[in-house]
C-alpha cells in the first residue's frame, strides 16, 4: 500500500508533491490547534462558570454558616435555612445537588438528606479545595461519593468551594453540582466558532502558499522549457560538431593516404625521370671520356675536369635514387603494423649503420593504411633526428598496444633541447610529426631539456572508428 502510494507520489510534479505535503501539514496543524483551542474553551468556560457560581454560592452559604465555624456542627435552624435555599428556593433549579463537607470528610449537610453523615476519604479535588483552591470540572460521576447523583444524571458540573473563617482558615468545603446542558451548548458554539476560524486561517495560508508555489512552478516550467530548447540546440550543435570532427578525421586519413600516394608518384617520377636522364648522361659521358681520353689542353687539365664532371653526375644520381627510395615504401599495404614498425627500424639501420634497440609488440596486427604510414614516418623522422642531433645518443624504440591504441616511444640520451624554443624556431620535422598525429586524432608529446636527452611519445588509434572519438 505504502509502496504503491509512494510510486504514485513520485510520478507527480514537484509543485503537486509540495502542495500535497502542505495540505497534510496544514490539516494536521489545524486538527492539533483546533483540538487545543477547543480544550481551552471548555476549560475556560468551566472555570468561569465555577468562579461566578462559587462567589454567589459562597456569599449565600457563608451567611448561613456564620456560627458553624465556632460550633463545628450544623444545627437544626441552619439546616432549615439551607433547605429553604437549595430545596424550596429558586436555586434548586440551578443547583441540582449541594453538599457541605467538614475537614474529616463527613457530609454534614446535603439537599439529599440521605447522604448526611456519610464519611469519605479526603482526596483529589476535595483535598485541593480544603487546601484553599476552587475546583471545578465536568464529572462523569464515577467517584464513590457521587453514586446517588449517577442514578439521575450522566454528567454534571462539579464545583468545590472552600469556606473560610474570619481568620481565613478553611473549615468547610461546599460542593455543588450544576447542569451541563446549557454549558455544553455554549462550549459547543464557541468551539464551532473557533474551528471555523482555524479552518479559515488554514485555508488562507493554503491559498497563499498555493499562489506562491503556482507562480514559482510557472517560472520553473518556463525555465525548464527554455533549458530544453537550449539543450536541443546544444545537441544539434554537438551533433554538427561530431559530423565535422568525423569529416575532419576522414579528411586526415584521406590526406595521409593521398600524401603517401603523392610521395610514391614523386619517387616514381624521380626514378623514371631525372635518375634515368642522369644515368643516360653518365653513359654518354663515359663514351665521350673514352674518346677524348688522350686530349690534353695547353694547361694539361682536361682529364681532371672530366673526372670532376663525372663525379658530380654520379653523386647527383646517388642522391636522386636515395631520395626516391626514401619517399616510397613498397608493399606497406600487405604488412601488419608490427612489420611496418620493424621495417622502419631496419631501413634506418641499413642507411645509418647504427643498431637500434627496439621493443615492438607482436600483437599489433592489421591497421588502417593511414595508421601504418604515420607510424613508419614517425619512426623514420624521429630516428633521423636522433642521428642528426644526437649522433652518440643510442636511440631506443618502443611500440606497444595499450587499450586499443598504439603507443610509440622514441628515446635518446643526447644533448636534448628546449621544445618551446624549437617550436618557435620552426623545426619542420617536429611540426610535420605533430600534424600527422593530430590529423588522425592522436596525441603527440615531446619531453626534452638541454642536457638530459629527448623522448618523443605518440598515441594513435588502431581503427578509423576510434579516430572519431579520440
Amino acid at each position: 500500500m505504502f509502496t504503491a502510494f509512494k510510486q504514485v507520489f513520485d510520478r507527480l510534479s514537484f509543485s503537486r508533491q509540495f502542495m500535497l505535503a502542505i495540505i497534510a501539514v496544514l490539516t494536521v496543524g489545524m486538527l492539533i490547534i483546533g483540538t487545543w483551542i477547543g480544550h481551552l474553551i471548555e476549560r475556560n468556560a468551566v472555570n468561569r462558570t465555577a468562579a461566578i457560581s462559587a462567589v454567589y454560592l459562597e456569599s449565600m452559604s457563608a451567611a448561613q454558616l456564620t456560627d458553624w465555624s465556632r460550633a463545628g456542627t450544623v444545627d437544626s435552624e441552619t439546616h432549615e435555612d439551607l433547605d429553604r435555599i437549595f430545596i424550596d428556593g429558586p436555586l434548586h433549579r440551578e443547583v441540582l445537588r449541594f453538599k457541605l463537607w467538614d475537614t474529616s470528610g463527613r457530609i454534614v449537610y446535603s439537599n439529599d438528606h440521605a447522604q448526611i453523615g456519610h464519611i469519605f476519604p479526603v482526596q483529589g479535588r476535595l483535598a485541593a479545595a480544603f487546601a484553599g483552591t476552587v475546583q471545578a470540572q465536568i464529572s462523569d460521576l464515577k467517584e464513590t461519593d457521587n453514586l446517588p447523583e449517577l442514578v439521575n444524571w450522566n454528567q454534571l458540573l462539579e464545583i468545590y468551594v472552600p469556606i473560610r473563617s474570619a481568620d481565613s482558615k478553611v473549615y468547610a468545603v461546599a460542593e455543588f453540582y450544576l447542569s451541563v446542558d446549557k454549558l455544553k451548548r455554549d462550549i459547543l458554539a464557541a468551539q464551532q466558532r473557533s474551528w471555523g476560524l482555524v479552518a479559515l486561517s488554514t485555508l488562507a495560508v493554503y491559498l497563499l502558499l498555493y499562489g506562491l508555489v503556482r507562480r514559482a512552478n510557472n517560472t520553473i516550467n518556463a525555465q525548464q522549457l527554455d533549458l530544453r530548447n537550449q539543450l536541443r540546440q546544444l545537441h544539434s550543435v554537438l551533433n554538427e560538431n561530431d559530423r565535422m570532427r568525423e569529416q575532419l578525421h576522414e579528411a586526415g586519413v584521406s590526406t595521409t593516404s593521398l600524401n603517401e600516394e603523392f610521395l610514391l608518384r614523386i619517387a616514381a617520377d624521380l626514378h623514371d625521370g631525372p635518375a634515368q636522364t642522369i644515368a643516360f648522361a653518365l653513359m654518354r659521358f663515359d663514351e665521350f671520356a673514352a674518346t677524348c681520353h688522350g686530349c690534353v689542353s695547353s694547361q694539361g687539365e682536361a682529364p681532371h675536369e672530366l673526372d670532376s664532371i663525372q663525379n658530380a653526375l654520379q653523386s647527383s644520381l646517388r642522391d636522386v635514387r636515395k631520395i626516391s627510395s626514401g619517399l616510397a615504401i613498397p608493399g606497406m599495404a600487405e604488412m601488419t603494423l608490427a612489420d611496418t614498425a620493424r621495417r622502419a627500424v631496419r631501413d634506418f639501420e641499413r642507411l645509418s649503420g647504427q643498431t637500434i634497440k627496439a621493443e615492438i609488440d607482436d600483437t599489433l596486427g592489421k591497421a588502417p593504411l593511414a595508421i601504418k604510414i604515420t607510424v613508419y614516418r614517425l619512426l623514420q623522422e624521429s630516428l633521423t633526428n636522433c642521428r642528426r642531433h644526437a649522433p652518440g645518443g643510442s636511440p631506443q624504440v618502443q611500440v606497444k598496444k595499450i587499450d586499443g591504441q598504439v603507443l610509440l616511444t622514441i628515446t635518446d640520451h643526447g644533448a636534448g633541447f628546449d621544445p618551446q624554443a624549437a617550436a618557435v624556431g620552426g623545426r619542420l620535422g617536429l611540426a610535420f610529426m605533430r600534424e600527422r598525429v593530430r590529423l588522425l586524432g592522436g596525441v603527440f608529446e615531446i619531453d626534452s631539456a638541454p642536457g638530459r636527452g629527448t623522448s618523443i611519445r605518440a598515441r594513435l588509434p588502431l581503427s578509423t572508428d576510434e579516430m572519431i572519438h579520440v
Side-chain angles (χ1 to χ4, degrees):
M1 178 71 178
F2 176 77
T3 303
F5 174 77
K6 185 176 183 301
Q7 291 176 349
V8 173
F9 184 79
D10 290 339
R11 286 196 293 268
L12 297 175
S13 64
F14 174 77
S15 60
R16 292 187 177 181
Q17 291 180 359
F18 180 80
M19 293 314 301
L20 285 177
I22 286 297
I23 290 174
V25 171
L26 290 178
T27 300
V28 173
M30 181 182 69
L31 292 175
I32 293 174
I33 294 174
T35 303
W36 176 65
I37 292 177
H39 284 308
L40 285 181
I41 290 173
E42 180 179 343
R43 184 73 260 171
N44 291 336
V46 169
N47 290 338
R48 184 177 66 253
T49 302
I52 296 172
S53 302
V55 172
Y56 178 70
L57 293 175
E58 185 179 25
S59 63
M60 291 188 62
S61 60
Q64 306 298 324
L65 299 174
T66 304
D67 297 330
W68 185 48
S69 62
R70 294 188 296 269
T73 59
V74 176
D75 55 24
S76 59
E77 183 178 356
T78 303
H79 192 283
E80 292 174 358
D81 290 338
L82 294 175
D83 283 345
R84 281 194 294 272
I85 295 172
F86 296 107
I87 297 177
D88 301 327
L91 277 181
H92 79 279
R93 295 187 183 89
E94 299 293 334
V95 181
L96 303 179
R97 184 76 75 210
F98 177 82
K99 300 176 185 178
L100 190 64
W101 300 80
D102 65 9
T103 55
S104 64
R106 182 167 59 92
I107 300 175
V108 296
Y109 174 79
S110 174
N111 55 359
D112 180 8
H113 293 171
Q115 297 185 39
I116 297 175
H118 290 191
I119 299 175
F120 297 93
V122 179
Q123 58 187 10
R125 289 183 298 278
L126 179 60
F130 274 111
T133 59
V134 176
Q135 299 293 311
Q137 77 162 15
I138 296 177
S139 174
D140 292 330
L141 308 176
K142 300 299 184 181
E143 294 85 353
T144 56
D145 62 294
N146 290 330
L147 294 180
E149 287 77 27
L150 186 60
V151 176
N152 298 311
W153 302 282
N154 293 324
Q155 281 186 330
L156 292 174
L157 176 58
E158 188 178 21
I159 302 173
Y160 293 85
V161 179
I163 299 177
R164 304 174 187 273
S165 61
D167 57 358
S168 299
K169 182 179 179 181
V170 178
Y171 64 89
V173 169
E175 179 188 6
F176 50 91
Y177 300 82
L178 305 179
S179 173
V180 296
D181 295 337
K182 183 177 182 300
L183 179 62
K184 279 192 171 183
R185 287 195 296 272
D186 294 340
I187 291 173
L188 180 60
Q191 288 177 337
Q192 288 175 344
R193 289 192 296 271
S194 69
W195 274 106
L197 181 61
V198 171
L200 287 175
S201 301
T202 303
L203 180 61
V205 172
Y206 174 78
L207 292 176
L208 177 62
L209 290 174
Y210 177 79
L212 293 174
V213 171
R214 185 179 180 85
R215 186 172 64 179
N217 185 63
N218 291 338
T219 302
I220 291 173
N221 288 337
Q223 292 176 346
Q224 287 179 340
L225 180 61
D226 184 54
L227 287 175
R228 282 195 290 269
N229 292 333
Q230 293 182 12
L231 188 60
R232 280 195 294 271
Q233 294 175 1
L234 181 60
H235 278 304
S236 178
V237 172
L238 289 176
N239 291 334
E240 185 64 25
N241 287 342
D242 288 339
R243 286 193 295 271
M244 293 177 63
R245 187 169 60 179
E246 182 177 356
Q247 293 173 0
L248 177 63
H249 285 295
E250 291 175 354
V253 173
S254 178
T255 300
T256 302
S257 300
L258 289 175
N259 285 341
E260 196 63 27
E261 292 178 5
F262 182 68
L263 291 176
L264 287 173
R265 182 174 297 178
I266 293 176
D269 291 343
L270 287 174
H271 181 272
D272 297 336
Q276 297 299 328
T277 302
I278 294 173
F280 178 74
L282 276 174
M283 183 179 64
R284 296 299 304 272
F285 182 81
D286 289 340
E287 294 175 357
F288 176 75
T291 303
C292 298
H293 187 69
C295 300
V296 180
S297 65
S298 58
Q299 289 82 10
E301 295 179 355
H304 177 71
E305 292 295 336
L306 290 175
D307 290 340
S308 297
I309 294 172
Q310 184 180 32
N311 291 336
L313 287 173
Q314 290 175 346
S315 177
S316 297
L317 181 60
R318 285 194 300 271
D319 289 343
V320 169
R321 287 175 175 172
K322 182 178 179 181
I323 293 172
S324 177
S325 64
L327 292 175
I329 313 173
M332 180 176 291
E334 292 75 23
M335 290 189 294
T336 64
L337 186 56
D339 292 338
T340 302
R342 293 191 186 95
R343 171 71 176 273
V345 173
R346 287 198 305 270
D347 289 348
F348 176 79
E349 289 178 333
R350 187 182 71 253
L351 293 174
S352 65
Q354 287 183 270
T355 300
I356 306 300
K357 182 180 179 182
E359 297 180 13
I360 299 174
D361 193 346
D362 291 328
T363 62
L364 291 168
K366 294 183 179 180
L369 180 61
I371 301 296
K372 293 189 287 186
I373 292 171
T374 301
V375 168
Y376 185 93
R377 293 303 183 190
L378 285 175
L379 292 173
Q380 183 185 51
E381 182 67 25
S382 299
L383 292 173
T384 301
N385 286 342
C386 290
R387 184 180 65 174
R388 184 180 303 137
H389 302 291
S394 302
Q396 298 177 357
V397 172
Q398 185 181 61
V399 184
K400 59 183 179 180
K401 181 179 180 181
I402 298 178
D403 298 330
Q405 296 179 331
V406 57
L407 177 64
L408 286 80
T409 306
I410 303 96
T411 306
D412 69 57
H413 303 284
F417 63 96
D418 184 357
Q420 294 183 350
V424 174
R427 284 195 180 181
L428 295 180
L430 295 176
F432 286 152
M433 284 192 288
R434 187 185 303 276
E435 189 64 19
R436 281 180 180 275
V437 174
R438 189 190 68 82
L439 283 174
L440 297 180
V443 178
F444 183 82
E445 298 174 342
I446 300 176
D447 182 15
S448 182
R452 67 174 179 85
T454 301
S455 178
I456 293 177
R457 287 185 293 272
R459 181 165 52 88
L460 290 165
L462 285 173
S463 70
T464 54
D465 291 336
E466 294 178 4
M467 291 179 199
I468 299 174
H469 304 287
V470 173

